[in-house]
Amino acid sequence: MGLISEVLLLPFAPVRGSAWAIRQVLHEAERIYYDPATIRAELARLEERLEAGEISEEEFDREEDELLDRLEIASRNSAGTGNGTAR
């Protein structure tokens, strides 16, 4: 951008900065949500809850399916980027 456009857009700098911060937070949340280690830990906690009788077999199956779907998406995304990170 040129100097004139930068000067004209200066009043919008806080908005642009906020949008950047929101994008960074969203990216980090997605990275954690699709992290295979996080998903595996959630699967282990889910199994512990089932064994402790805190949840029913149906609820376990439903939540397990959701977690396995996330794990599949994470493995597809990491294979697609080639660097091991989900995006």
Side-chain angles (χ1 to χ4, degrees), residues 1-18:
M1 283 191 218
L3 180 60
I4 294 175
S5 61
E6 285 294 325
V7 170
L8 292 174
L9 294 176
L10 190 58
F12 298 106
V15 174
R16 290 180 7 215
S18 296

Side-chain angles (χ1 to χ4, degrees), residues 19-61:
W20 176 85
I22 290 169
R23 282 192 306 272
Q24 297 305 311
V25 169
L26 180 61
H27 175 69
E28 183 63 14
E30 286 178 345
R31 187 191 65 75
I32 292 170
Y33 184 76
Y34 288 110
D35 179 32
T38 302
I39 298 169
R40 287 187 191 100
E42 288 182 35
L43 282 167
R45 281 193 299 271
L46 184 63
E47 190 170 347
E48 290 171 0
R49 290 176 57 207
L50 176 67
E51 291 172 358
E54 296 174 8
I55 59 174
S56 67
E57 190 74 39
E58 294 81 23
E59 187 175 355
F60 173 82
D61 289 340

Side-chain angles (χ1 to χ4, degrees), residues 74-87:
S75 64
R76 262 191 278 138
N77 286 345
S78 66
T81 58
N83 62 4
T85 60
R87 175 96 170 108

Side-chain angles (χ1 to χ4, degrees), residues 59-73:
E59 187 175 355
F60 173 82
D61 289 340
R62 183 182 54 77
E63 291 185 32
E64 182 186 41
D65 287 343
E66 291 174 8
L67 289 169
L68 292 174
D69 288 344
R70 275 175 47 197
L71 189 59
E72 182 181 340
I73 291 169

